[in-house]
Amino acid sequence: MKSNGLQTENYLKISSDSDCKTLFWNKGSKKFKIDNNIEQSPLELRKKIEPWLTALFQSERLNLLIGSGLTIAQEHLVDKTHTDFMETLDFNVFPDQIKKTSEELAKRNGRELPNIEDQLNVANTLLAGLEIYAKEDGDKTDLEDNIKKLKTGISKSLKDFITKILSLESKILSKRESVARYLIPFLMSFASRTLSRERLHIFTTNYDRVIEWGADLTGLRLIDRFVGNIEPIFRASRLNIDMHYNPPGIRGEPRYLEGVAYFTKLHGSLDWNYRNGKIQRIALPFGGNENTLPLEEQCLIYPHSAKEWQTANYPYSELFRDFATAVCRPNTTLVTYGYGFGDEHINRIIEDMLTIPSTHLVIISYDITPKMHSHFCENQSSKKEQISVLVGPELADIKSLVRHYLPKSAIDHSMKRMFEIKKQRDEKPELSIKDEGSDKDPK
């Protein structure tokens, strides 16, 4: 991120803004200096941002796409460090071929450098090709030896990858109070929707279970495609299962149960396993140790090591169909948080969504250095009225978001009634924003 002395850059585009505005955060005055040199505090800026987000969050359909930025944000709440579990690996066989092809794959996807996903994808493809070639007649002892080494390298890489993610979960669990203080209101800002609107649908590219853990703390019920209690199995059928209740004294008019959301993990999860021709969710404790590790050969994360072509397309084809079905509809808002726009298969769906005039995209990102979201917005310049942007460390930090900019757990019915009563009495309602920071409540 760019900095200039005491200043850091942030970018904001909401409501009727024609272009992104650059906001320089001054650490000394604790205020933003906007393009035209007007200074505003976070609470003053809130008066513009929060009503706009509140309106978007109450769209007919609301979807939330979460990337690795959320997990990184939770880790920063613990000890200000960052575990790079996506860093590249060193293979002891065919290292040059894997490295070169991984770099080419990353560039095709719009990324400058490859990550572990690119390497595992290339390694699995190489392994499949070598196994086919090894079936021909002739002496291929050296080739078979290299195939065994490659299998061992892939298995070890997956195991190390899973161990890193579990260690990260364990670190977050060790400071659960500090994390929950911001994770719970963050999730509830999106999940608190009027019951006349469709459910919030949360999508994530993460393999960890931070969202599921946060939902448990919040009391938010997540509905996904898994059915069962002891060994939940992934089901392809769309049953549109939901949760309702019957109000006392009213028959035949069931109402939606509050605190429910749909949930989809687009790239798989640590606790998804491929067993006996079925995809199951296993009982894997949050932040488990090496004794609770799943078999890496059966762990369904993308790219995974399962050989069957059917498994290579399933369940991911169903998950991405869910994503396209959810976002490519009229009167839909999609909010991205911590997503770097580095997955072309996801970007294409978002591009298709923006061809519908009544849809809206909100990009919230802490890090401004990758510039992937900027590149995406430039390619969608004809749709800029449909895109809002909150980018930068002072706007998109989870603490700042929860304290100042995100709608409060919003459908607070008692607060809403109070505003209506004061309006009827021609009184000006006062905002009440409580946080542990040094900012005073606005009058």
Side-chain angles (χ1 to χ4, degrees):
M1 71 190 66
K2 296 181 181 180
S3 62
N4 182 14
L6 295 175
Q7 297 182 340
T8 56
E9 283 188 18
N10 298 265
Y11 300 94
L12 177 66
K13 179 186 177 298
I14 59 173
S15 189
S16 59
D17 294 341
S18 57
D19 295 298
C20 266
K21 294 182 179 179
T22 304
L23 280 63
F24 292 94
W25 173 252
N26 191 309
K27 296 180 181 178
S29 64
K30 301 293 183 182
K31 290 185 177 181
F32 291 101
K33 181 177 287 187
I34 309 177
D35 291 335
N36 54 9
N37 292 327
I38 295 176
E39 285 195 344
Q40 288 187 332
S41 68
L43 290 181
E44 290 172 324
L45 201 61
R46 169 187 168 85
K47 294 178 182 178
K48 180 180 180 182
I49 296 176
E50 190 270 344
W52 176 243
L53 292 182
T54 299
L56 290 176
F57 286 14
Q58 293 306 317
S59 299
E60 187 173 337
R61 302 175 180 92
L62 177 64
N63 300 281
L64 173 62
L65 173 60
I66 293 177
S68 59
L70 179 65
T71 304
I72 295 172
Q74 308 313 308
E75 186 179 16
H76 282 184
L77 292 174
V78 176
D79 57 11
K80 301 293 184 181
T81 61
H82 170 44
T83 302
D84 188 7
F85 50 79
M86 298 298 287
E87 63 183 349
T88 55
L89 308 167
D90 293 324
F91 284 86
N92 59 356
V93 59
F94 304 112
D96 296 335
Q97 293 87 340
I98 294 175
K99 179 181 178 181
K100 181 179 178 180
T101 309
S102 299
E103 291 173 349
E104 293 173 352
L105 180 61
K107 289 180 180 179
R108 284 201 302 271
N109 289 328
R111 287 180 280 107
E112 296 180 1
L113 298 174
N115 56 31
I116 186 175
E117 289 182 343
D118 299 315
Q119 287 188 310
L120 288 174
N121 197 349
V122 171
N124 279 312
T125 304
L126 176 60
L127 177 60
L130 292 175
E131 289 179 332
I132 293 173
Y133 183 69
K135 292 180 180 178
E136 295 183 4
D137 296 334
D139 184 13
K140 294 185 173 59
T141 305
D142 292 341
L143 180 59
E144 291 176 352
D145 184 55
N146 285 335
I147 289 175
K148 290 180 181 178
K149 290 181 180 179
L150 184 57
K151 285 183 178 179
T152 302
I154 293 173
S155 179
K156 181 180 183 301
S157 299
L158 278 172
K159 185 174 182 179
D160 293 343
F161 183 54
I162 295 170
T163 302
K164 280 186 179 181
I165 298 176
L166 285 174
S167 298
L168 177 59
E169 290 183 352
S170 179
K171 181 192 294 187
I172 292 173
L173 189 62
S174 67
K175 298 287 186 179
R176 58 185 299 155
E177 291 81 9
S178 301
V179 174
R181 186 176 190 177
Y182 296 98
L183 181 59
I184 289 176
F186 173 84
L187 292 174
M188 291 309 296
S189 292
F190 296 93
S192 299
R193 286 170 53 77
T194 56
L195 300 182
S196 60
R197 300 289 188 262
E198 288 192 9
R199 298 290 195 191
L200 167 70
H201 200 145
I202 303 173
F203 297 90
T204 181
T205 57
N206 298 343
Y207 307 118
D208 57 68
R209 282 86 47 78
V210 170
I211 298 173
E212 297 96 305
W213 179 70
D216 286 349
L217 295 178
T218 307
L220 180 64
R221 297 170 176 84
L222 299 178
I223 299 176
D224 55 20
R225 282 181 171 269
F226 286 88
V227 179
N229 293 313
I230 302 300
E231 293 182 342
I233 296 176
F234 185 92
R235 299 296 185 186
S237 58
R238 293 296 293 166
L239 301 178
N240 292 323
I241 298 174
D242 211 315
M243 295 184 181
H244 300 78
Y245 71 98
N246 290 318
I250 300 177
R251 291 186 178 182
E253 294 184 11
R255 298 180 184 176
Y256 280 121
L257 187 68
E258 295 184 41
V260 178
Y262 292 109
F263 183 55
T264 301
K265 304 192 79 168
L266 294 171
H267 286 175
S269 180
L270 291 182
D271 52 3
W272 292 12
N273 265 217
Y274 183 68
R275 294 178 177 178
N276 302 320
K278 296 181 180 179
I279 298 166
Q280 298 178 339
R281 186 172 61 210
I282 61 174
L284 182 63
F286 185 78
N289 54 40
E290 58 183 8
N291 297 322
T292 62
L293 281 175
L295 295 175
E296 59 272 10
E297 292 83 3
Q298 297 176 338
C299 184
L300 273 179
I301 58 177
Y302 177 83
H304 51 81
S305 59
K307 300 177 185 177
E308 288 81 2
W309 176 254
Q310 293 85 353
T311 308
N313 288 275
Y314 179 85
Y316 303 109
S317 58
E318 302 295 328
L319 300 174
F320 279 94
R321 187 178 296 115
D322 287 350
F323 181 55
T325 301
V327 303
C328 295
R329 294 187 293 172
N331 303 311
T332 296
T333 295
L334 172 64
V335 182
T336 69
Y337 180 79
Y339 170 63
F341 286 84
D343 294 312
E344 282 301 312
H345 50 295
I346 294 178
N347 295 348
R348 281 193 294 269
I349 296 175
I350 300 176
E351 289 173 2
D352 288 343
M353 180 197 78
L354 292 175
T355 61
I356 304 173
S358 59
T359 59
H360 200 90
L361 171 66
V362 182
I363 300 173
I364 305 177
S365 176
Y366 179 96
D367 198 356
I368 67 173
T369 51
K371 295 290 186 181
M372 295 295 294
H373 39 70
S374 299
H375 180 66
F376 179 86
C377 291
E378 289 171 2
N379 291 338
Q380 301 297 315
S381 58
S382 61
K383 309 287 194 312
K384 60 182 180 180
E385 294 82 6
Q386 296 172 244
I387 301 176
S388 296
V389 173
L390 283 84
V391 173
E394 304 302 332
L395 287 177
D397 176 73
I398 194 167
K399 287 185 178 181
S400 298
L401 278 174
V402 169
R403 289 177 183 174
H404 304 301
Y405 308 121
L406 288 181
K408 301 306 174 185
S409 281
I411 318 301
D412 185 338
H413 299 290
S414 59
M415 183 69 68
K416 184 178 179 181
R417 286 195 296 270
M418 183 194 74
F419 270 68
E420 291 174 350
I421 292 171
K422 288 196 173 189
K423 184 178 180 181
Q424 291 172 1
R425 295 176 179 176
D426 295 326
E427 296 180 16
K428 185 178 179 181
E430 295 182 357
L431 295 176
S432 178
I433 306 166
K434 302 293 185 182
D435 63 62
E436 69 281 14
S438 58
D439 296 309
K440 296 180 180 179
D441 295 340
K443 299 298 182 183

